[in-house]
Amino acid sequence: MSCLKPQFHEMRVTPLKTGTQLSFDLLAGALTGRDAARATGTLHVLGNPGGIVHLHDGGITCIESAGAPGTDALLLRTGRLSESEWTSALTTGTLGTLGETELHVVTMMATHDAAFSIVAGDVEECSFTPQVLDAPVTMTAAIDPVDLLQETSRRITSLQALEHPLCPHRERLAAARAATVRDLGPVRGEIVAHATGRRTTRDIAFAAGRSVYPVTVEACRMVADGLLTVVPGTSAVVRGPQPAIPLRPRRPPPPSPVPGPPADDDGDDVPLPRSLRHQLLPKLFKQPERKKP
Amino acid sequence: MNHDVLAAELHGLRERVAGITDTLIAANDGVLILADMSEGIDTEVISALAAADLGIARRTSEIAGHGAFRQAVVHSSGGYMAVYAVGSLALMVVLGDEGLNVARLHQESQPALERINSILSAA
């Protein structure tokens, strides 16, 4: 477990070191192990957030993770690309106003960020399959796994070296009273605007369309500066009426004391009193009335 | 019915699955029971829509002959809404951002749904 559970008092900051090292070792072992060496396929990283590493000839072409915005989220949330442009980019391969190099760079950013996010969370297991899965966008030039691991290690170390390191998946942040969006720069202002007390730095990054690592680092500094506070663990905002009676199935109706006489119209289940059926139905549907023997 | 235990279940699910932003429990007719939602989201409207969604989804899987209903997922460019049946009397709504791992959500939600069902039916 990389992120210890937060304690229930203000400004408690989680030590990242121990568990994150385990997550890093598991990912590093899988990426540099025998299975993934010069392999083409998919490395499934199970955990929270976990992720998928797309490999081609041993190089990483893309990493997707629930813990970090992908290329599409980075481009769409910032308004760099419109919905229709993205849809046509996926279907026809035309990029509109976006250049191929720019797409490559954004995908590389997203890939590094996903690796950081996976390692900052919990990794339970890594398993490689030679099956190639579809990725929305892949890089034109693959990243060497060792380079990616070095960069990820550098990011984790930098985060740990900060005064108040935050886990991007655990600590939920709220703006301190002193913080006003107007007085802060664009990045800090955006973080304060999205820090509702329910969001982690990962959630803030998604809401702002920014990468998780820079948002987390900036949020750590803002905690140190007293602009953000860490919200205690059980912060579920519970709303709704409080019914006193528990939900139960409706009781079956009491059995009628005298069973009714058997139907005399061949099981006709029209919900009308029997006295009316013979009067109304022939008129409504122009059916000839059945003759009784 | 213990609301604190119910709230803890919703909160626990949000903690365990990255990308969940809001959760809610309502009766099958759309009447809200409990919500763990951000300000600015109309919980009553979401409950009512989810009840309609669940009804249509159940009927669709029945008509298509796809067996027992599991969940209904609405996938948009900016996020997800998943509706689960809680027993035969209630439903759970999970809202998530575009990063939500739906497979993990399904996996984590099953034991939570069973516990929520037993809390809701307890005296």
Side-chain angles (χ1 to χ4, degrees), chain A residues 21-38:
Chain A
Q21 190 58 51
L22 177 67
S23 295
F24 182 82
D25 290 348
L26 281 168
L27 183 68
L31 277 177
T32 55
R34 199 172 39 182
D35 284 346
R38 284 187 291 283

Side-chain angles (χ1 to χ4, degrees), chain A residues 91-276:
Chain A
T91 49
T92 62
T94 53
L95 297 167
T97 54
L98 194 75
E100 199 175 310
T101 311
E102 189 178 357
L103 189 67
H104 174 84
V105 169
V106 175
T107 309
M108 190 164 71
M109 276 169 54
T111 294
H112 278 295
D113 202 40
F116 162 76
S117 188
I118 290 170
V119 169
D122 304 331
V123 175
E124 291 157 14
E125 192 188 330
C126 297
S127 65
F128 176 80
T129 56
Q131 189 189 3
V132 179
L133 295 181
D134 278 340
V137 188
T138 52
M139 283 176 283
T140 42
I143 304 178
D144 182 53
V146 175
D147 292 346
L148 179 106
L149 288 168
Q150 276 175 350
E151 175 59 19
T152 306
S153 170
R154 185 194 68 75
R155 290 181 178 203
I156 293 288
T157 313
S158 310
L159 186 62
Q160 285 166 357
L162 292 171
E163 193 181 340
H164 288 289
L166 298 167
C167 175
H169 310 300
R170 286 279 188 275
E171 277 104 354
R172 296 177 191 277
L173 300 169
R177 276 184 203 160
T180 49
V181 178
R182 219 174 6 172
D183 305 334
L184 305 164
V187 179
R188 289 193 160 203
E190 205 166 13
I191 292 174
V192 165
H194 290 300
T196 57
R198 294 173 58 85
R199 290 186 173 133
T200 61
T201 55
R202 173 245 173 246
D203 299 336
I204 293 172
F206 265 91
R210 291 178 181 273
S211 294
V212 175
Y213 174 67
V215 168
T216 306
V217 168
E218 199 54 44
C220 295
R221 292 186 184 133
M222 289 166 76
V223 169
D225 293 347
L227 295 170
L228 292 175
T229 54
V230 178
V231 175
T234 50
S235 65
V237 180
V238 175
R239 284 185 277 153
Q242 306 231 335
I245 306 160
L247 283 179
R248 284 190 178 284
R250 194 175 289 164
R251 282 184 193 160
S256 54
V258 183
D264 61 348
D265 55 0
D266 302 334
D268 191 354
D269 59 353
V270 178
L272 278 175
R274 199 175 301 116
S275 58
L276 282 175

Side-chain angles (χ1 to χ4, degrees), chain A residues 49-75:
Chain A
I52 294 173
V53 182
H54 299 271
L55 291 162
H56 185 80
D57 287 338
I60 295 164
T61 53
C62 179
I63 302 182
E64 294 175 85
S65 170
T71 311
D72 49 348
L74 290 176
L75 291 171

